[in-house]
Amino acid sequence: MVNKIIIKELNLCFAKNHVLKNIDISIPEKLITAIMGPSGCGKSTFLRCLNRMNDLIEGTKISGSLLIDEKDIYSDSIDIFDLRKRVGMVFQKPNPFPKSIFENVAYGLKIHEIKDKGTISEKVEKALRDANLWDEVKDRLSSSALDLSGGQQQRLCIARALAVEPEIILFDEPASALDPISSARLEELLEELKKNYTIVIVTHNLQQAARISDWTAFLMLGELIEFNKTEKIFTAPQDKRTENYLTGKFG
Amino acid sequence: MTEGGIFPALIGTFLLSTGAILFALPLGVLAAIYLKEYAGAKKWVRIIRIGINNLAGVPSVVFGLFGLAIFVKLFGFGVSVLSGSLTLGILILPVIIRASEEAIDSVPSSFKEASFALGATKWQTIRKVVLPTALPGILTGAILSLGRAAGETAPILFTAATFYTRHLPESPFREVMALPYHIYALMTEGTKPEFQVPIAYGTALVLLLLVFAVNFIAIIIRSRMRRKRKW
């Protein structure tokens, strides 16, 4: 097992709020790592450190080292636009652009200067197939993405992220706005995607974390309480707080 | 003055107001992008905003004098379509900036996030996501101000309008007739008021219908935009 992401002593402050405290974690390649924890524990903020989306918020201070493939992504020599191409993200609420289905998936290719029309349509088709959406939309690629159902929209957002061929995909509670059937389809898709991608998923749905992830981290009040193989976390948690959270004493 | 119909005035008004839009729309949209996406919340940005809002309340005859001093005299464009268009452009500029700012504001931040997360730069995001999404709102504002520009008399009084001509302007540096000024001229000048007054009323009706038609187009665009909007 290779560690794709290695994080040491990560600290993050928004203005005066100390949101993430001394986090040490190593995220394995081509497996699913779930980040769980009560609301406001810093799960999403942690996720957004990995593609530097926190940079967009003014007053963010970050320290520690955050290595992807042994390179510090916060060093000056990193091209942030290239980083975000390598580390894709899918958000909590499906957020397709108000464009056609095709244009949504082609967007990332176009901003990264791929101009050849044949290449673009090939890559769009592949991304849609990989996101298990192709068969449902192949006859209406030019119709608006906003006409799709919520679950389809979320898979479209995944296709959009896949199209630029990332190595890591971050999921920020991707199923929380979906109905149970769409949610199940999404979980199946995650299982398939882990063959080729390193996946980090934030969730506060414990069953979901248990079902799909290989490793699980438990975060509370900005601290990493426990990080272990998922079956160990759920069957024999080492920390009392993890156990209390899993048994529903708080949450 | 009672001869020749209002065709030159109609064309003059069309030229002046499209000229005003051609000048004010790009400038206004760029200003709105700058204020919303780049300027931040600095003190002098607040002062600029106050300036823009006050500009919208300046009496239009003052714009006319400004146009006379700057475009007609200083830049030497003379009393012409160009001077009149620029003067009208400045008059509608604050309206276009504000409409564009509102339209840009209404673009959900989740669209921008999605674009940034794919590795897009700020300018790519503005060009490919923010502007296309805001476009219907910007266009509505632009068309409404087109109607405003078509109906204004004072700004073109000293900068573009001529009393009477049977010809259309051959170049942007020529003066033109315009509907609102034509009404004013018919009511105040000339020697045959018994013929001129009915023509003035007729011209007023044409001008009203024109402005109404323009505003109607804006309303249609806005309602179609609301229906299409699903975010």
Side-chain angles (χ1 to χ4, degrees), chain A residues 48 51 53 56 81 84-85 87 89 91 95-99 107 110-112 146-147 160-161, chain B residues 40 110-122 124-125 128-129 132-133 228-231:
Chain A
R48 282 158 181 258
N51 62 348
M53 285 294 274
L56 302 172
F81 306 113
R84 291 190 185 138
K85 187 177 164 227
V87 185
M89 187 167 206
F91 295 83
N95 57 353
F97 299 124
K99 300 173 186 282
Y107 182 83
K110 287 182 181 168
I111 58 171
H112 292 293
L146 301 174
D147 292 333
R160 184 172 65 185
Chain B
S110 66
F111 292 177
K112 288 192 232 170
E113 275 195 329
S115 173
F116 288 132
L118 286 163
T121 61
K122 191 165 190 172
Q124 284 175 324
T125 304
K128 299 197 167 190
V129 177
T133 314
K228 264 181 74 182
R229 188 155 138 168
K230 285 174 191 147
W231 59 85

mmCIF file of all heavy atoms in Angstrom, chain A residues 48 51 53 56 81 84-85 87 89 91 95-99 107 110-112 146-147 160-161, chain B residues 40 110-122 124-125 128-129 132-133 228-231:
data_model
loop_
_atom_site.group_PDB
_atom_site.id
_atom_site.type_symbol
_atom_site.label_atom_id
_atom_site.label_comp_id
_atom_site.label_asym_id
_atom_site.label_seq_id
_atom_site.Cartn_x
_atom_site.Cartn_y
_atom_site.Cartn_z
ATOM 1 N N ARG A 48 -10.886 20.612 1.878
ATOM 2 C CA ARG A 48 -10.539 21.736 1.012
ATOM 3 C C ARG A 48 -9.082 22.173 1.136
ATOM 4 O O ARG A 48 -8.622 23.011 0.372
ATOM 5 C CB ARG A 48 -11.471 22.919 1.307
ATOM 6 C CG ARG A 48 -12.826 22.732 0.676
ATOM 7 C CD ARG A 48 -13.890 23.564 1.352
ATOM 8 N NE ARG A 48 -15.180 23.337 0.716
ATOM 9 C CZ ARG A 48 -15.721 24.184 -0.151
ATOM 10 N NH1 ARG A 48 -15.121 25.307 -0.455
ATOM 11 N NH2 ARG A 48 -16.890 23.907 -0.702
ATOM 12 N N ASN A 51 -7.091 20.476 -2.058
ATOM 13 C CA ASN A 51 -7.005 21.098 -3.387
ATOM 14 C C ASN A 51 -6.894 22.622 -3.260
ATOM 15 O O ASN A 51 -7.145 23.348 -4.199
ATOM 16 C CB ASN A 51 -8.190 20.711 -4.273
ATOM 17 C CG ASN A 51 -9.520 21.156 -3.721
ATOM 18 O OD1 ASN A 51 -9.612 21.572 -2.574
ATOM 19 N ND2 ASN A 51 -10.555 21.083 -4.530
ATOM 20 N N MET A 53 -8.693 24.837 -1.906
ATOM 21 C CA MET A 53 -9.874 25.676 -2.092
ATOM 22 C C MET A 53 -10.000 26.678 -0.949
ATOM 23 O O MET A 53 -10.676 27.693 -1.074
ATOM 24 C CB MET A 53 -11.144 24.820 -2.180
ATOM 25 C CG MET A 53 -11.314 24.086 -3.497
ATOM 26 S SD MET A 53 -11.573 25.171 -4.914
ATOM 27 C CE MET A 53 -13.348 25.391 -4.827
ATOM 28 N N LEU A 56 -9.263 30.495 -1.296
ATOM 29 C CA LEU A 56 -10.222 31.481 -1.783
ATOM 30 C C LEU A 56 -10.829 32.292 -0.655
ATOM 31 O O LEU A 56 -11.433 33.322 -0.875
ATOM 32 C CB LEU A 56 -11.349 30.794 -2.564
ATOM 33 C CG LEU A 56 -10.929 29.955 -3.781
ATOM 34 C CD1 LEU A 56 -12.102 29.195 -4.331
ATOM 35 C CD2 LEU A 56 -10.331 30.856 -4.848
ATOM 36 N N PHE A 81 -3.335 25.791 -10.300
ATOM 37 C CA PHE A 81 -4.353 25.373 -11.280
ATOM 38 C C PHE A 81 -4.108 23.939 -11.736
ATOM 39 O O PHE A 81 -5.041 23.173 -11.956
ATOM 40 C CB PHE A 81 -4.363 26.349 -12.451
ATOM 41 C CG PHE A 81 -4.540 27.765 -11.995
ATOM 42 C CD1 PHE A 81 -3.517 28.691 -12.135
ATOM 43 C CD2 PHE A 81 -5.716 28.157 -11.370
ATOM 44 C CE1 PHE A 81 -3.667 29.988 -11.678
ATOM 45 C CE2 PHE A 81 -5.874 29.457 -10.904
ATOM 46 C CZ PHE A 81 -4.847 30.368 -11.060
ATOM 47 N N ARG A 84 -5.258 21.629 -8.860
ATOM 48 C CA ARG A 84 -6.704 21.385 -8.826
ATOM 49 C C ARG A 84 -7.139 20.499 -9.977
ATOM 50 O O ARG A 84 -8.205 19.875 -9.912
ATOM 51 C CB ARG A 84 -7.456 22.715 -8.842
ATOM 52 C CG ARG A 84 -7.255 23.470 -7.549
ATOM 53 C CD ARG A 84 -8.183 24.661 -7.472
ATOM 54 N NE ARG A 84 -7.899 25.436 -6.272
ATOM 55 C CZ ARG A 84 -7.854 26.761 -6.252
ATOM 56 N NH1 ARG A 84 -8.074 27.440 -7.350
ATOM 57 N NH2 ARG A 84 -7.599 27.394 -5.136
ATOM 58 N N LYS A 85 -6.349 20.454 -11.024
ATOM 59 C CA LYS A 85 -6.641 19.516 -12.104
ATOM 60 C C LYS A 85 -6.344 18.097 -11.632
ATOM 61 O O LYS A 85 -7.067 17.157 -11.959
ATOM 62 C CB LYS A 85 -5.765 19.886 -13.305
ATOM 63 C CG LYS A 85 -6.081 19.119 -14.546
ATOM 64 C CD LYS A 85 -5.218 19.615 -15.701
ATOM 65 C CE LYS A 85 -5.255 18.619 -16.815
ATOM 66 N NZ LYS A 85 -3.965 18.297 -17.360
ATOM 67 N N VAL A 87 -6.315 17.109 -8.456
ATOM 68 C CA VAL A 87 -7.148 16.777 -7.302
ATOM 69 C C VAL A 87 -8.559 17.314 -7.563
ATOM 70 O O VAL A 87 -8.852 18.475 -7.332
ATOM 71 C CB VAL A 87 -6.569 17.394 -6.015
ATOM 72 C CG1 VAL A 87 -7.371 16.939 -4.812
ATOM 73 C CG2 VAL A 87 -5.104 17.027 -5.857
ATOM 74 N N MET A 89 -12.820 17.618 -7.355
ATOM 75 C CA MET A 89 -13.710 17.748 -6.203
ATOM 76 C C MET A 89 -15.171 17.658 -6.623
ATOM 77 O O MET A 89 -15.565 18.193 -7.659
ATOM 78 C CB MET A 89 -13.457 19.085 -5.516
ATOM 79 C CG MET A 89 -14.204 19.240 -4.205
ATOM 80 S SD MET A 89 -13.585 20.638 -3.263
ATOM 81 C CE MET A 89 -14.001 20.109 -1.612
ATOM 82 N N PHE A 91 -19.016 18.314 -4.939
ATOM 83 C CA PHE A 91 -19.541 19.068 -3.806
ATOM 84 C C PHE A 91 -20.798 18.428 -3.207
ATOM 85 O O PHE A 91 -21.389 17.515 -3.781
ATOM 86 C CB PHE A 91 -19.848 20.498 -4.238
ATOM 87 C CG PHE A 91 -18.610 21.263 -4.631
ATOM 88 C CD1 PHE A 91 -18.072 21.138 -5.909
ATOM 89 C CD2 PHE A 91 -17.977 22.088 -3.723
ATOM 90 C CE1 PHE A 91 -16.934 21.828 -6.269
ATOM 91 C CE2 PHE A 91 -16.832 22.791 -4.080
ATOM 92 C CZ PHE A 91 -16.307 22.654 -5.351
ATOM 93 N N ASN A 95 -23.807 20.763 -8.440
ATOM 94 C CA ASN A 95 -23.723 22.137 -8.961
ATOM 95 C C ASN A 95 -23.281 22.169 -10.421
ATOM 96 O O ASN A 95 -22.267 22.767 -10.753
ATOM 97 C CB ASN A 95 -22.782 22.983 -8.096
ATOM 98 C CG ASN A 95 -21.376 22.384 -8.005
ATOM 99 O OD1 ASN A 95 -21.136 21.278 -8.471
ATOM 100 N ND2 ASN A 95 -20.456 23.111 -7.425
ATOM 101 N N PRO A 96 -24.062 21.516 -11.309
ATOM 102 C CA PRO A 96 -23.702 21.623 -12.723
ATOM 103 C C PRO A 96 -23.848 23.076 -13.186
ATOM 104 O O PRO A 96 -24.645 23.817 -12.613
ATOM 105 C CB PRO A 96 -24.707 20.719 -13.431
ATOM 106 C CG PRO A 96 -25.866 20.644 -12.508
ATOM 107 C CD PRO A 96 -25.320 20.762 -11.120
ATOM 108 N N PHE A 97 -23.065 23.442 -14.220
ATOM 109 C CA PHE A 97 -23.212 24.778 -14.785
ATOM 110 C C PHE A 97 -24.516 24.846 -15.574
ATOM 111 O O PHE A 97 -24.979 23.826 -16.077
ATOM 112 C CB PHE A 97 -22.053 25.076 -15.746
ATOM 113 C CG PHE A 97 -20.703 25.042 -15.106
ATOM 114 C CD1 PHE A 97 -19.711 24.202 -15.594
ATOM 115 C CD2 PHE A 97 -20.417 25.836 -14.006
ATOM 116 C CE1 PHE A 97 -18.449 24.170 -15.005
ATOM 117 C CE2 PHE A 97 -19.158 25.800 -13.409
ATOM 118 C CZ PHE A 97 -18.180 24.962 -13.909
ATOM 119 N N PRO A 98 -25.098 26.035 -15.703
ATOM 120 C CA PRO A 98 -26.311 26.156 -16.531
ATOM 121 C C PRO A 98 -25.966 26.083 -18.008
ATOM 122 O O PRO A 98 -26.230 27.000 -18.760
ATOM 123 C CB PRO A 98 -26.872 27.528 -16.129
ATOM 124 C CG PRO A 98 -25.702 28.287 -15.619
ATOM 125 C CD PRO A 98 -24.734 27.297 -15.062
ATOM 126 N N LYS A 99 -25.358 24.974 -18.393
ATOM 127 C CA LYS A 99 -24.964 24.744 -19.783
ATOM 128 C C LYS A 99 -25.472 23.361 -20.162
ATOM 129 O O LYS A 99 -26.071 22.675 -19.335
ATOM 130 C CB LYS A 99 -23.441 24.772 -19.915
ATOM 131 C CG LYS A 99 -22.746 26.064 -19.506
ATOM 132 C CD LYS A 99 -21.233 25.839 -19.541
ATOM 133 C CE LYS A 99 -20.466 27.034 -19.012
ATOM 134 N NZ LYS A 99 -20.355 28.129 -19.968
ATOM 135 N N TYR A 107 -16.088 21.336 -20.067
ATOM 136 C CA TYR A 107 -15.590 22.590 -19.488
ATOM 137 C C TYR A 107 -14.129 22.494 -19.035
ATOM 138 O O TYR A 107 -13.292 23.299 -19.411
ATOM 139 C CB TYR A 107 -16.479 23.002 -18.313
ATOM 140 C CG TYR A 107 -16.070 24.304 -17.675
ATOM 141 C CD1 TYR A 107 -16.483 25.512 -18.206
ATOM 142 C CD2 TYR A 107 -15.257 24.325 -16.547
ATOM 143 C CE1 TYR A 107 -16.098 26.713 -17.631
ATOM 144 C CE2 TYR A 107 -14.866 25.517 -15.978
ATOM 145 C CZ TYR A 107 -15.290 26.711 -16.521
ATOM 146 O OH TYR A 107 -14.896 27.892 -15.948
ATOM 147 N N LYS A 110 -11.661 22.253 -21.839
ATOM 148 C CA LYS A 110 -11.452 23.501 -22.571
ATOM 149 C C LYS A 110 -10.600 24.490 -21.796
ATOM 150 O O LYS A 110 -9.756 25.160 -22.384
ATOM 151 C CB LYS A 110 -12.797 24.130 -22.932
ATOM 152 C CG LYS A 110 -13.476 23.358 -24.058
ATOM 153 C CD LYS A 110 -14.782 23.978 -24.477
ATOM 154 C CE LYS A 110 -15.415 23.155 -25.586
ATOM 155 N NZ LYS A 110 -16.801 23.534 -25.845
ATOM 156 N N ILE A 111 -10.807 24.586 -20.490
ATOM 157 C CA ILE A 111 -9.979 25.547 -19.756
ATOM 158 C C ILE A 111 -8.534 25.074 -19.668
ATOM 159 O O ILE A 111 -7.646 25.871 -19.441
ATOM 160 C CB ILE A 111 -10.508 25.851 -18.336
ATOM 161 C CG1 ILE A 111 -10.603 24.593 -17.504
ATOM 162 C CG2 ILE A 111 -11.829 26.566 -18.364
ATOM 163 C CD1 ILE A 111 -10.905 24.872 -16.060
ATOM 164 N N HIS A 112 -8.317 23.770 -19.864
ATOM 165 C CA HIS A 112 -6.928 23.301 -19.879
ATOM 166 C C HIS A 112 -6.407 23.156 -21.301
ATOM 167 O O HIS A 112 -5.559 22.320 -21.586
ATOM 168 C CB HIS A 112 -6.793 22.016 -19.075
ATOM 169 C CG HIS A 112 -6.996 22.238 -17.606
ATOM 170 N ND1 HIS A 112 -6.122 22.970 -16.849
ATOM 171 C CD2 HIS A 112 -7.999 21.881 -16.763
ATOM 172 C CE1 HIS A 112 -6.566 23.026 -15.597
ATOM 173 N NE2 HIS A 112 -7.713 22.387 -15.527
ATOM 174 N N LEU A 146 -29.455 21.191 -16.225
ATOM 175 C CA LEU A 146 -30.352 21.473 -15.104
ATOM 176 C C LEU A 146 -31.657 20.684 -15.207
ATOM 177 O O LEU A 146 -32.442 20.653 -14.274
ATOM 178 C CB LEU A 146 -30.638 22.972 -15.022
ATOM 179 C CG LEU A 146 -29.392 23.841 -14.845
ATOM 180 C CD1 LEU A 146 -29.756 25.309 -14.917
ATOM 181 C CD2 LEU A 146 -28.695 23.555 -13.540
ATOM 182 N N ASP A 147 -31.890 20.055 -16.390
ATOM 183 C CA ASP A 147 -33.099 19.239 -16.528
ATOM 184 C C ASP A 147 -32.919 17.826 -15.980
ATOM 185 O O ASP A 147 -33.878 17.062 -15.915
ATOM 186 C CB ASP A 147 -33.502 19.148 -18.015
ATOM 187 C CG ASP A 147 -33.980 20.495 -18.537
ATOM 188 O OD1 ASP A 147 -34.472 21.286 -17.706
ATOM 189 O OD2 ASP A 147 -33.849 20.747 -19.738
ATOM 190 N N ARG A 160 -17.730 15.445 -14.786
ATOM 191 C CA ARG A 160 -17.021 16.692 -15.048
ATOM 192 C C ARG A 160 -15.643 16.672 -14.383
ATOM 193 O O ARG A 160 -14.651 17.119 -14.959
ATOM 194 C CB ARG A 160 -17.862 17.853 -14.497
ATOM 195 C CG ARG A 160 -17.330 19.215 -14.766
ATOM 196 C CD ARG A 160 -18.319 20.275 -14.350
ATOM 197 N NE ARG A 160 -18.538 20.287 -12.902
ATOM 198 C CZ ARG A 160 -19.422 21.056 -12.295
ATOM 199 N NH1 ARG A 160 -20.183 21.877 -12.997
ATOM 200 N NH2 ARG A 160 -19.571 21.008 -10.985
ATOM 201 N N ALA A 161 -15.606 16.131 -13.150
ATOM 202 C CA ALA A 161 -14.323 16.034 -12.454
ATOM 203 C C ALA A 161 -13.421 14.987 -13.104
ATOM 204 O O ALA A 161 -12.213 15.176 -13.210
ATOM 205 C CB ALA A 161 -14.549 15.719 -10.978
ATOM 206 N N GLY B 40 -12.614 44.219 -4.217
ATOM 207 C CA GLY B 40 -12.644 43.924 -2.799
ATOM 208 C C GLY B 40 -13.441 44.971 -2.035
ATOM 209 O O GLY B 40 -14.277 45.666 -2.610
ATOM 210 N N SER B 110 -21.702 28.573 -5.954
ATOM 211 C CA SER B 110 -21.375 27.163 -6.210
ATOM 212 C C SER B 110 -20.890 26.962 -7.641
ATOM 213 O O SER B 110 -20.083 26.064 -7.900
ATOM 214 C CB SER B 110 -22.585 26.277 -5.928
ATOM 215 O OG SER B 110 -23.622 26.555 -6.838
ATOM 216 N N PHE B 111 -21.355 27.792 -8.581
ATOM 217 C CA PHE B 111 -20.858 27.691 -9.960
ATOM 218 C C PHE B 111 -19.381 28.074 -10.020
ATOM 219 O O PHE B 111 -18.582 27.445 -10.691
ATOM 220 C CB PHE B 111 -21.626 28.631 -10.906
ATOM 221 C CG PHE B 111 -23.061 28.231 -11.129
ATOM 222 C CD1 PHE B 111 -23.883 29.027 -11.909
ATOM 223 C CD2 PHE B 111 -23.580 27.075 -10.597
ATOM 224 C CE1 PHE B 111 -25.205 28.677 -12.129
ATOM 225 C CE2 PHE B 111 -24.903 26.713 -10.804
ATOM 226 C CZ PHE B 111 -25.714 27.525 -11.573
ATOM 227 N N LYS B 112 -19.059 29.146 -9.310
ATOM 228 C CA LYS B 112 -17.670 29.606 -9.328
ATOM 229 C C LYS B 112 -16.770 28.565 -8.666
ATOM 230 O O LYS B 112 -15.683 28.268 -9.159
ATOM 231 C CB LYS B 112 -17.550 30.933 -8.577
ATOM 232 C CG LYS B 112 -18.157 32.100 -9.323
ATOM 233 C CD LYS B 112 -17.740 33.403 -8.663
ATOM 234 C CE LYS B 112 -18.935 34.257 -8.377
ATOM 235 N NZ LYS B 112 -18.616 35.411 -7.549
ATOM 236 N N GLU B 113 -17.240 28.021 -7.538
ATOM 237 C CA GLU B 113 -16.454 26.994 -6.844
ATOM 238 C C GLU B 113 -16.173 25.819 -7.758
ATOM 239 O O GLU B 113 -15.057 25.314 -7.829
ATOM 240 C CB GLU B 113 -17.216 26.489 -5.616
ATOM 241 C CG GLU B 113 -17.019 27.329 -4.389
ATOM 242 C CD GLU B 113 -17.480 26.593 -3.150
ATOM 243 O OE1 GLU B 113 -18.415 25.783 -3.260
ATOM 244 O OE2 GLU B 113 -16.895 26.826 -2.082
ATOM 245 N N ALA B 114 -17.222 25.365 -8.464
ATOM 246 C CA ALA B 114 -17.056 24.220 -9.354
ATOM 247 C C ALA B 114 -15.989 24.520 -10.389
ATOM 248 O O ALA B 114 -15.156 23.664 -10.708
ATOM 249 C CB ALA B 114 -18.379 23.895 -10.042
ATOM 250 N N SER B 115 -15.986 25.737 -10.903
ATOM 251 C CA SER B 115 -15.017 26.112 -11.920
ATOM 252 C C SER B 115 -13.596 26.163 -11.345
ATOM 253 O O SER B 115 -12.663 25.606 -11.929
ATOM 254 C CB SER B 115 -15.408 27.468 -12.514
ATOM 255 O OG SER B 115 -14.413 27.931 -13.367
ATOM 256 N N PHE B 116 -13.459 26.787 -10.176
ATOM 257 C CA PHE B 116 -12.135 26.834 -9.549
ATOM 258 C C PHE B 116 -11.620 25.439 -9.238
ATOM 259 O O PHE B 116 -10.444 25.138 -9.409
ATOM 260 C CB PHE B 116 -12.176 27.655 -8.252
ATOM 261 C CG PHE B 116 -12.329 29.130 -8.484
ATOM 262 C CD1 PHE B 116 -13.268 29.865 -7.778
ATOM 263 C CD2 PHE B 116 -11.524 29.781 -9.402
ATOM 264 C CE1 PHE B 116 -13.410 31.224 -7.981
ATOM 265 C CE2 PHE B 116 -11.650 31.144 -9.613
ATOM 266 C CZ PHE B 116 -12.599 31.866 -8.904
ATOM 267 N N ALA B 117 -12.529 24.563 -8.780
ATOM 268 C CA ALA B 117 -12.112 23.215 -8.392
ATOM 269 C C ALA B 117 -11.620 22.411 -9.587
ATOM 270 O O ALA B 117 -10.927 21.417 -9.422
ATOM 271 C CB ALA B 117 -13.259 22.481 -7.693
ATOM 272 N N LEU B 118 -11.995 22.828 -10.801
ATOM 273 C CA LEU B 118 -11.497 22.134 -11.989
ATOM 274 C C LEU B 118 -10.171 22.716 -12.458
ATOM 275 O O LEU B 118 -9.626 22.284 -13.471
ATOM 276 C CB LEU B 118 -12.521 22.232 -13.121
ATOM 277 C CG LEU B 118 -13.749 21.338 -12.954
ATOM 278 C CD1 LEU B 118 -14.870 21.800 -13.861
ATOM 279 C CD2 LEU B 118 -13.405 19.900 -13.245
ATOM 280 N N GLY B 119 -9.684 23.716 -11.742
ATOM 281 C CA GLY B 119 -8.392 24.296 -12.101
ATOM 282 C C GLY B 119 -8.499 25.524 -12.976
ATOM 283 O O GLY B 119 -7.521 25.906 -13.612
ATOM 284 N N ALA B 120 -9.685 26.138 -13.019
ATOM 285 C CA ALA B 120 -9.836 27.336 -13.846
ATOM 286 C C ALA B 120 -9.257 28.551 -13.117
ATOM 287 O O ALA B 120 -9.282 28.619 -11.891
ATOM 288 C CB ALA B 120 -11.303 27.595 -14.159
ATOM 289 N N THR B 121 -8.753 29.513 -13.888
ATOM 290 C CA THR B 121 -8.300 30.758 -13.286
ATOM 291 C C THR B 121 -9.510 31.657 -13.048
ATOM 292 O O THR B 121 -10.617 31.357 -13.502
ATOM 293 C CB THR B 121 -7.326 31.502 -14.223
ATOM 294 O OG1 THR B 121 -8.034 31.810 -15.431
ATOM 295 C CG2 THR B 121 -6.132 30.640 -14.569
ATOM 296 N N LYS B 122 -9.264 32.744 -12.335
ATOM 297 C CA LYS B 122 -10.354 33.664 -12.035
ATOM 298 C C LYS B 122 -10.948 34.240 -13.320
ATOM 299 O O LYS B 122 -12.164 34.317 -13.481
ATOM 300 C CB LYS B 122 -9.801 34.797 -11.174
ATOM 301 C CG LYS B 122 -10.878 35.658 -10.583
ATOM 302 C CD LYS B 122 -10.299 36.496 -9.484
ATOM 303 C CE LYS B 122 -11.413 37.161 -8.731
ATOM 304 N NZ LYS B 122 -10.941 37.842 -7.543
ATOM 305 N N GLN B 124 -10.836 32.976 -16.389
ATOM 306 C CA GLN B 124 -11.576 31.932 -17.117
ATOM 307 C C GLN B 124 -12.960 31.740 -16.500
ATOM 308 O O GLN B 124 -13.954 31.601 -17.205
ATOM 309 C CB GLN B 124 -10.818 30.599 -17.058
ATOM 310 C CG GLN B 124 -9.618 30.530 -17.978
ATOM 311 C CD GLN B 124 -8.820 29.251 -17.797
ATOM 312 O OE1 GLN B 124 -8.689 28.738 -16.690
ATOM 313 N NE2 GLN B 124 -8.289 28.731 -18.889
ATOM 314 N N THR B 125 -12.996 31.743 -15.170
ATOM 315 C CA THR B 125 -14.268 31.556 -14.483
ATOM 316 C C THR B 125 -15.234 32.695 -14.787
ATOM 317 O O THR B 125 -16.418 32.471 -15.055
ATOM 318 C CB THR B 125 -14.030 31.455 -12.962
ATOM 319 O OG1 THR B 125 -13.113 30.388 -12.736
ATOM 320 C CG2 THR B 125 -15.320 31.194 -12.213
ATOM 321 N N LYS B 128 -16.226 32.359 -18.657
ATOM 322 C CA LYS B 128 -16.973 31.188 -19.132
ATOM 323 C C LYS B 128 -18.151 30.803 -18.246
ATOM 324 O O LYS B 128 -19.024 30.062 -18.680
ATOM 325 C CB LYS B 128 -16.027 29.996 -19.256
ATOM 326 C CG LYS B 128 -14.931 30.291 -20.246
ATOM 327 C CD LYS B 128 -14.246 29.024 -20.681
ATOM 328 C CE LYS B 128 -13.397 29.329 -21.883
ATOM 329 N NZ LYS B 128 -12.881 28.149 -22.530
ATOM 330 N N VAL B 129 -18.149 31.240 -16.996
ATOM 331 C CA VAL B 129 -19.259 30.866 -16.117
ATOM 332 C C VAL B 129 -20.053 32.088 -15.666
ATOM 333 O O VAL B 129 -21.263 32.148 -15.841
ATOM 334 C CB VAL B 129 -18.757 30.071 -14.890
ATOM 335 C CG1 VAL B 129 -19.904 29.757 -13.954
ATOM 336 C CG2 VAL B 129 -18.066 28.797 -15.333
ATOM 337 N N PRO B 132 -21.689 34.422 -18.861
ATOM 338 C CA PRO B 132 -22.827 33.790 -19.555
ATOM 339 C C PRO B 132 -24.049 33.639 -18.651
ATOM 340 O O PRO B 132 -25.180 33.805 -19.095
ATOM 341 C CB PRO B 132 -22.288 32.409 -19.952
ATOM 342 C CG PRO B 132 -20.820 32.555 -19.979
ATOM 343 C CD PRO B 132 -20.476 33.593 -18.958
ATOM 344 N N THR B 133 -23.822 33.343 -17.359
ATOM 345 C CA THR B 133 -24.947 33.182 -16.449
ATOM 346 C C THR B 133 -25.615 34.524 -16.166
ATOM 347 O O THR B 133 -26.833 34.605 -15.999
ATOM 348 C CB THR B 133 -24.475 32.545 -15.123
ATOM 349 O OG1 THR B 133 -23.629 31.438 -15.427
ATOM 350 C CG2 THR B 133 -25.653 32.064 -14.304
ATOM 351 N N LYS B 228 -36.517 30.188 -17.220
ATOM 352 C CA LYS B 228 -35.460 29.225 -17.521
ATOM 353 C C LYS B 228 -34.575 28.934 -16.315
ATOM 354 O O LYS B 228 -33.870 27.940 -16.273
ATOM 355 C CB LYS B 228 -34.574 29.767 -18.655
ATOM 356 C CG LYS B 228 -34.979 29.251 -20.014
ATOM 357 C CD LYS B 228 -34.065 29.788 -21.089
ATOM 358 C CE LYS B 228 -32.700 29.144 -21.075
ATOM 359 N NZ LYS B 228 -31.837 29.740 -22.111
ATOM 360 N N ARG B 229 -34.612 29.815 -15.340
ATOM 361 C CA ARG B 229 -33.663 29.737 -14.255
ATOM 362 C C ARG B 229 -34.062 28.654 -13.251
ATOM 363 O O ARG B 229 -35.165 28.638 -12.758
ATOM 364 C CB ARG B 229 -33.660 31.096 -13.562
ATOM 365 C CG ARG B 229 -32.613 31.237 -12.550
ATOM 366 C CD ARG B 229 -32.345 32.676 -12.420
ATOM 367 N NE ARG B 229 -32.191 33.017 -11.026
ATOM 368 C CZ ARG B 229 -31.722 34.178 -10.638
ATOM 369 N NH1 ARG B 229 -31.453 35.103 -11.507
ATOM 370 N NH2 ARG B 229 -31.572 34.417 -9.370
ATOM 371 N N LYS B 230 -33.140 27.748 -12.964
ATOM 372 C CA LYS B 230 -33.518 26.616 -12.106
ATOM 373 C C LYS B 230 -32.572 26.415 -10.939
ATOM 374 O O LYS B 230 -32.564 25.364 -10.336
ATOM 375 C CB LYS B 230 -33.537 25.337 -12.940
ATOM 376 C CG LYS B 230 -34.736 25.258 -13.841
ATOM 377 C CD LYS B 230 -34.652 24.062 -14.740
ATOM 378 C CE LYS B 230 -35.703 24.141 -15.822
ATOM 379 N NZ LYS B 230 -35.218 23.542 -17.046
ATOM 380 N N TRP B 231 -31.722 27.425 -10.680
ATOM 381 C CA TRP B 231 -30.817 27.209 -9.571
ATOM 382 C C TRP B 231 -31.221 28.034 -8.389
ATOM 383 O O TRP B 231 -32.038 28.922 -8.502
ATOM 384 C CB TRP B 231 -29.380 27.505 -9.993
ATOM 385 C CG TRP B 231 -29.171 28.883 -10.485
ATOM 386 C CD1 TRP B 231 -28.922 29.997 -9.745
ATOM 387 C CD2 TRP B 231 -29.190 29.321 -11.861
ATOM 388 N NE1 TRP B 231 -28.776 31.082 -10.556
ATOM 389 C CE2 TRP B 231 -28.935 30.707 -11.852
ATOM 390 C CE3 TRP B 231 -29.398 28.665 -13.058
ATOM 391 C CZ2 TRP B 231 -28.881 31.457 -13.029
ATOM 392 C CZ3 TRP B 231 -29.342 29.420 -14.202
ATOM 393 C CH2 TRP B 231 -29.084 30.800 -14.195
#
